[in-house]
Amino acid sequence: MTPVIMSEPTLLVLYGSQTGTAQDTAQRIGRQAKRKWLQVQVLPLDNYNVANLISESLVVFVCATTGQGDAPDNMKNFWKFLFRKSLPAGSLSRLDCAVLGLGDSSYPKFNFVAKKLHKRLLQLGASPLLPAGLADDQHDLGADAVIDPWLTSLWEKVFALYPSLAAVTPLGEDEPLPPTYTFHFLDDVKEDRCRISTEQTVPSQSHPFPAKLVSNRRVTDTSHFQDVRHIEFDISGSRIQFGAGDVVMMYPCNAPEDVQQFCQLLRLNPEATFALRATDNTAVPARLPQPCTVRYLVETYLDIAAVPRRSFFELLSTFATNELEQDKLKEFSSAEGQTDLHSYCNQPRRTALEVLTDFPHTTTEIKVDYLLDLFPEIQPRSFSIASSLKAHPNRLQILVAVVRYKTKLYKPRQGLCSTWLASLDPAQGEVCVPLWVKKGSLRFPTDTDTPVIMVGPGTGVAPFRSALQERRAEGKPENVLFFGCRSESKDFYFKSEWGTMMEEGHLKLFTAFSRDQEEKVYVQHRVTENAELLWDLISNKHSCFYIAGNAKEMPASVCDALKDVFRQQGHMSTEDAEQMFAAMEKSGRLQSETWS
């Protein structure tokens, strides 16, 4: 079928994505547009020249919210530009737009970026096609519970605006769209594998630095259920600078056995070399060398060990010729089949590779050209830096809990990055990990006199070790740390280092070992017990208060304990304690960095 090329409109889909979900949703909108014969372009917000927005007529924005209500990294420049005070009020009066937010209602600033963007676009004169969509990861059916009806409504509005589009018969759902790239296999060409930059630029996502792994040491007792690693990298000559609270980023690799199984299932020769060509105006991924081997593509780029999204099943169903498999894939792609898909995929954390083994007939039908449409790119992982350059020059250290857990599936689930890092052994020969550093959300006081109170149970202590090393070197002695773990003998990280700091008068340490006695004791209990000290530090010495760690119950429990301190010691009402807490948050004296 030949596409009907419309003179207008060209739909622009711009996304801000941190983990790849907003990108996947934006690409889904792009595919729907192509099926409706619209000209469409899908881009990360920072790859788009925002000055051109004044001449656009139809734009859909898809935005995630990260951390404490922050914009994703790939829309930070756009965000700064859009909130310039100098932009005139009517500058986007030509624009019809829609905003779709992807968020998680367990975080306080739920869909903050989408709400703020929607409001700002209206201030600048844009016309909203429909109210902002606010998808919620916490919904029983995930984000799609909001996205599906929102998209139906979006297309109704677009067709009402451009009636000529409604007259065209869309491409059927079972007909595959052309691939984004085509593979051109080459004979006896050596790949330009090492595109990691060693040139004299500050390392970044597009130019990571190959840091040599110096040590990889388990810091939990061998009898402890959790394997936690203290890993050190040599960053000599990298020009990397970082301070307390900053974060290191890296791309993990797929396990060799997964790479081998994938190549066998798809009948690919891992040593084959290819060049990629885009079928439209899309750029070839900068992270892939040209030419590239199949092994490098599968090992470092295709996210085959992730739990696949609905879009994976949509595309897979278009390849299926086996009736039974096709019916199942279509069911998983449909709005009605999302409960079944959730129990098949999301609940047991089934990987894309495992799905391929469950659909063997369809897997043999997959054409190599569709690999980059079918599998998303592996996303970079972030770790709080656990050391200071002032204590360990030319070194960068992290504390990594190796993720491993059971579901109803026979094989235990494993975290891609933590498992890969744990497997690296510098004793077996030189190992380099491409990495770069970015600013974290925690900011520590620069003056000498302001005390800091830090609550960091488990691996949440990592950024506080960095802060304590830095503050010790700078002669800032007023430091209080609340550390919690299961057992003093099994997972008490950096015990001897804390001992040295206490002897020097640089640290007051309060510990909570939850399983070392009958009654479980957590960090929030220690906060309550030390109310008098904390009140003195906060009310008289203007101390800053920090929380880092797992985002389950801990942060909320610690916040409640702190409000209790305000009530008891400050003789305040509940309302006044809440107001004091909010004021500390607003002024940056209360900060948290949590992860799920």
Side-chain angles (χ1 to χ4, degrees):
M1 195 185 286
T2 314
V4 181
I5 303 298
M6 294 290 160
S7 57
E8 60 169 7
T10 294
L11 171 65
L12 184 61
V13 184
L14 298 174
Y15 63 86
S17 186
Q18 195 70 20
T19 61
T21 310
Q23 179 179 351
D24 179 74
T25 304
Q27 287 166 342
R28 179 181 169 194
I29 297 168
R31 286 193 300 274
Q32 289 186 356
K34 283 177 182 173
R35 290 190 181 281
K36 298 174 196 308
W37 304 118
L38 259 91
Q39 293 181 68
V40 63
Q41 195 174 17
V42 181
L43 286 172
L45 276 151
D46 278 355
N47 286 20
Y48 172 73
N49 182 354
V50 64
N52 293 341
L53 207 55
I54 55 168
S55 52
E56 299 290 353
S57 56
L58 188 60
V59 181
V60 175
F61 298 89
V62 184
C63 303
T65 296
T66 72
Q68 316 303 312
D70 303 318
D73 290 344
N74 66 359
M75 66 177 282
K76 285 225 164 42
N77 296 336
F78 167 85
W79 202 237
K80 271 186 215 144
F81 182 92
L82 199 71
F83 285 91
R84 280 186 189 171
K85 292 202 165 55
S86 58
L87 296 180
S91 49
L92 297 182
S93 55
R94 286 189 53 180
L95 180 65
D96 289 304
C97 68
V99 176
L100 176 58
L102 303 186
D104 183 324
S105 58
S106 69
Y107 285 86
K109 294 196 171 175
F110 171 60
N111 265 316
F112 185 73
V113 171
K115 291 171 185 171
K116 199 171 171 183
L117 173 61
H118 187 77
K119 190 176 172 185
R120 181 60 174 154
L121 292 169
L122 268 55
Q123 280 176 353
L124 295 172
S127 305
L129 288 168
L130 67 170
L134 304 175
D136 184 8
D137 241 6
Q138 292 297 316
H139 192 284
D140 287 346
L141 295 177
D144 281 345
V146 167
I147 295 171
D148 285 356
W150 189 88
L151 286 178
T152 304
S153 185
L154 170 72
W155 293 121
E156 284 169 3
K157 303 290 183 193
V158 170
F159 285 165
L161 213 56
Y162 300 95
S164 57
L165 290 174
V168 183
T169 309
L171 184 66
E173 289 294 331
D174 50 357
E175 293 182 59
L177 290 162
T180 308
Y181 305 100
T182 53
F183 283 61
H184 297 266
F185 285 94
L186 311 162
D187 298 326
D188 303 323
V189 178
K190 291 284 174 278
E191 69 174 338
D192 169 24
R193 175 159 187 149
C194 193
R195 303 187 90 203
I196 296 158
S197 172
T198 48
E199 64 194 66
Q200 289 304 296
T201 56
V202 175
S204 63
Q205 186 162 1
S206 51
H207 294 96
F209 176 77
K212 189 175 154 190
L213 184 72
V214 178
S215 67
N216 183 351
R217 194 166 55 85
R218 179 171 174 144
V219 289
T220 43
D221 190 80
T222 48
S223 67
H224 190 58
F225 79 100
Q226 177 122 59
D227 179 0
V228 176
R229 301 301 179 104
H230 181 205
I231 297 173
E232 182 173 50
F233 299 100
D234 182 349
I235 55 167
S236 304
S238 68
R239 300 177 70 193
I240 287 176
Q241 292 295 318
F242 59 85
D246 288 347
V247 167
V248 64
M249 308 288 294
M250 60 189 75
Y251 285 107
C253 291
N254 284 310
E257 59 273 21
D258 285 357
V259 174
Q260 187 183 353
Q261 187 188 8
F262 181 86
C263 290
Q264 284 169 348
L265 282 170
L266 274 80
R267 300 171 189 172
L268 295 168
N269 171 10
E271 307 317 321
T273 308
F274 65 90
L276 269 187
R277 285 184 204 152
T279 53
D280 54 19
N281 55 2
T282 316
V284 171
R287 213 154 67 77
L288 287 177
Q290 291 271 56
C292 179
T293 64
V294 168
R295 183 185 304 284
Y296 188 79
L297 172 74
V298 181
E299 186 177 82
T300 68
Y301 192 86
L302 300 181
D303 206 355
I304 61 173
V307 177
R309 298 183 175 100
R310 179 174 161 187
S311 56
F312 176 82
F313 293 91
E314 282 174 7
L315 184 52
L316 211 52
S317 71
T318 65
F319 303 138
T321 52
N322 177 283
E323 203 176 326
L324 210 62
E325 290 188 7
Q326 189 178 47
D327 287 350
K328 198 69 195 163
L329 290 165
K330 279 185 174 172
E331 183 194 328
F332 285 156
S333 310
S334 69
E336 306 75 49
Q338 290 314 290
T339 309
D340 286 347
L341 177 59
H342 196 76
S343 56
Y344 168 69
C345 238
N346 301 64
Q347 277 173 339
R349 311 306 293 163
R350 197 182 301 270
T351 68
L353 183 57
E354 287 168 332
V355 171
L356 294 183
T357 63
D358 282 353
F359 293 87
H361 297 95
T362 307
T363 298
T364 60
E365 305 278 350
I366 296 170
K367 296 177 181 69
V368 69
D369 286 346
Y370 283 96
L371 285 183
L372 276 81
D373 293 297
L374 196 53
F375 298 94
E377 177 185 354
I378 291 174
Q379 294 295 316
R381 305 310 203 255
S382 62
F383 295 95
S384 292
I385 297 171
S387 59
S388 167
L389 290 169
K390 291 178 178 171
H392 300 277
N394 296 318
R395 293 287 189 267
L396 187 155
Q397 300 176 3
I398 54 175
L399 191 63
V400 181
V402 181
V403 177
R404 187 182 165 93
Y405 57 95
K406 279 292 291 173
T407 66
K408 68 180 186 186
L409 300 178
Y410 172 73
K411 194 178 168 190
R413 307 292 90 190
Q414 295 182 322
L416 178 65
C417 193
S418 60
T419 305
W420 169 69
L421 281 171
S423 75
L424 303 176
D425 183 3
Q428 300 295 311
E430 188 169 286
V431 180
C432 287
V433 172
L435 50 79
W436 66 101
V437 162
K438 69 169 193 173
K439 276 270 161 255
S441 62
L442 299 178
R443 298 278 184 276
F444 292 89
T446 49
D447 63 286
T448 314
D449 302 328
T450 305
V452 298
I453 303 159
M454 298 163 283
V455 183
T459 54
V461 80
F464 300 144
R465 180 174 182 256
S466 176
L468 284 164
Q469 289 182 355
E470 193 170 284
R471 287 174 64 79
R472 179 190 184 193
E474 291 168 349
K476 298 172 180 174
E478 288 255 50
N479 305 302
V480 176
L481 174 65
F482 289 87
F483 175 74
C485 63
R486 288 197 171 207
S487 170
E488 184 174 7
S489 61
K490 291 183 177 174
D491 55 340
F492 186 4
Y493 312 132
F494 311 119
K495 179 181 179 178
S496 61
E497 192 170 330
W498 307 143
T500 306
M501 286 187 187
M502 285 192 291
E503 282 166 23
E504 294 172 348
H506 273 101
L507 178 65
K508 279 192 180 80
L509 175 70
F510 299 100
T511 53
F513 304 117
S514 63
R515 304 297 199 275
D516 280 356
Q517 62 285 308
E518 284 276 302
E519 289 274 302
K520 287 181 184 170
V521 179
Y522 297 114
V523 282
Q524 57 266 30
H525 300 132
R526 298 296 186 225
V527 167
T528 305
E529 287 167 18
N530 291 279
E532 201 176 327
L533 168 71
L534 297 183
W535 178 250
D536 177 52
L537 289 172
I538 291 167
S539 66
N540 298 326
K541 298 184 178 175
H542 302 287
S543 173
C544 293
F545 194 100
Y546 301 87
I547 305 168
N550 197 298
K552 284 183 182 160
E553 291 87 26
M554 183 277 294
S557 302
V558 171
C559 292
D560 289 343
L562 186 60
K563 289 171 198 171
D564 282 342
V565 170
F566 297 166
R567 273 198 297 271
Q568 290 164 22
Q569 298 296 314
H571 309 293
M572 290 182 179
S573 66
T574 301
E575 196 179 323
D576 287 345
E578 289 281 358
Q579 278 182 347
M580 181 172 176
F581 184 89
M584 279 184 71
E585 262 193 315
K586 195 170 183 186
S587 65
R589 283 181 60 205
L590 175 65
Q591 300 173 39
S592 65
E593 183 174 271
T594 57
W595 52 86
S596 49

